[in-house]
Amino acid sequence: MALGRLTIDLEANIARFERGLNRAEQLMQRRTRSIQRIARRAGTLIGVGLGAALGGGLSRAIRSATDDLSDLANQAEKLGLSTDALQEFRFAAGQVGVTARSLDVGFQRFTRRSAEAAAGSKELASVFDQLGIELRDNQGNLRNNEVLFSEFVDSLSDVENQSERVRLAFKLLDTEGVDLVRLAGRFDELRKKGRDLGVVIDADVVRNAREAGDRLEALSTVIQANLSPVLANLAPVLIRISEGFAKATTAVKDFFNIDFGQSP
């Protein structure tokens, strides 16, 4: 009798244990499928996000490059220089610690005052006379500003007295002359160094970049217009995925807390 009851109790305990294992297996299968679905969604989200980030980064990089080259072309036109010459000037100035802005402002003043000297300003003409620089060519035309500026900067090296050198530079360039006098005797050398190093971007490239500026602006607008709704629509998906992860971790915790001996 006792043996029969023991057998019945044992069979009942085994049955409950098996049911507990079955429930645990089913629960684990459901949670595994759920986690797999979440992972697939997360992978899609990450892929779209990376694509958007790379696309946006590339667009910004292209736009930045074309903006810089467009600014270069505009400034060269304003100063009456070729883009090659302006890049060489700026490189040379940078080698002695002079900013591009100081170079540009100084050259602009030089252009105006050399024209005033050629037009009859005796005070300004005396600076060129002292340095032995001819303002006009054989036909009586004002010489090219690029050539005049280069001759002016290099001829300052012939002035032995530093104070006199600064005074002459200040006459034509104002405060920028104090800095640009450091180029005296080195200007042509540093311009050539810039060309040899390849820092001068070809004029055709600069011109094409300038022309492409408006097109890239339109392209950037189109990209932004198309990406914004996509990213906005992904926000609810991201929330659902986060909620799914939270539920999955809870399920895993519950799984390990299952009482396999409990009746269903």
Side-chain angles (χ1 to χ4, degrees):
M1 188 71 176
L3 180 60
R5 179 174 296 280
L6 178 61
T7 301
I8 293 172
D9 289 343
L10 181 59
E11 289 176 348
N13 287 335
I14 291 173
R16 284 196 297 273
F17 180 72
E18 288 178 345
R19 286 194 296 272
L21 285 177
N22 289 334
R23 288 202 312 276
E25 182 180 2
Q26 292 169 4
L27 178 62
M28 179 58 74
Q29 289 174 351
R30 288 197 301 271
R31 294 311 179 192
T32 299
R33 288 194 295 270
S34 176
I35 291 172
Q36 288 173 342
R37 287 194 300 271
I38 292 169
R40 285 194 296 271
R41 291 179 184 176
T44 300
L45 177 64
I46 292 170
V48 172
L50 285 175
L54 291 174
L58 179 60
S59 175
R60 286 192 296 272
I62 293 173
R63 187 61 195 170
S64 176
T66 55
D67 283 347
D68 289 344
L69 293 179
S70 294
D71 289 343
L72 173 67
N74 292 335
Q75 187 66 2
E77 279 189 6
K78 178 181 176 182
L79 297 175
L81 287 170
S82 67
T83 55
D84 284 3
L86 180 55
Q87 290 177 89
E88 292 170 10
F89 280 23
R90 287 178 170 179
F91 175 81
Q95 295 299 291
V96 295
V98 177
T99 66
R101 183 182 182 281
S102 292
L103 182 280
D104 292 356
V105 172
F107 183 81
Q108 192 170 27
R109 287 174 177 155
F110 176 86
T111 299
R112 184 177 71 251
R113 289 173 182 170
S114 61
E116 291 174 359
S121 172
K122 293 182 179 180
E123 181 181 5
L124 295 175
S126 66
V127 176
F128 291 96
D129 290 340
Q130 182 175 340
L131 294 173
I133 299 172
E134 293 290 338
L135 286 169
R136 296 187 180 276
D137 59 23
N138 294 333
Q139 285 73 43
N141 299 315
L142 184 63
R143 295 173 65 205
N144 180 278
N145 285 331
E146 176 185 337
V147 176
L148 283 175
F149 185 77
S150 182
E151 289 184 2
F152 167 72
V153 173
D154 277 334
S155 64
L156 287 173
S157 63
D158 296 331
V159 180
E160 295 182 2
N161 186 282
Q162 176 67 13
S163 298
E164 179 64 8
R165 190 182 299 174
V166 170
R167 184 189 73 82
L168 293 172
F170 190 86
K171 275 279 189 183
L172 297 184
L173 310 177
D174 283 349
T175 54
E176 281 68 29
V178 177
D179 291 330
L180 288 170
V181 77
R182 295 200 292 271
L183 284 169
R186 302 186 59 198
F187 193 46
D188 288 341
E189 169 199 341
L190 292 174
R191 288 181 64 183
K192 182 179 183 302
K193 180 180 178 181
R195 291 193 299 272
D196 293 343
L197 289 175
V199 301
V200 178
I201 300 173
D202 187 77
D204 289 338
V205 175
V206 176
R207 182 175 59 255
N208 291 337
R210 188 183 190 184
E211 293 173 354
D214 291 340
R215 296 179 184 178
L216 286 172
E217 179 65 31
L219 177 61
S220 177
T221 302
V222 171
I223 292 174
Q224 187 64 33
N226 283 279
L227 279 179
S228 294
V230 172
L231 296 175
N233 290 331
L234 281 175
V237 176
L238 181 60
I239 293 173
R240 289 197 297 271
I241 289 175
S242 299
E243 292 174 345
F245 273 123
K247 291 178 181 178
T249 55
T250 301
V252 172
K253 177 185 176 182
D254 291 344
F255 167 74
F256 286 107
N257 289 332
I258 289 176
D259 181 1
F260 294 105
Q262 184 177 352
S263 298

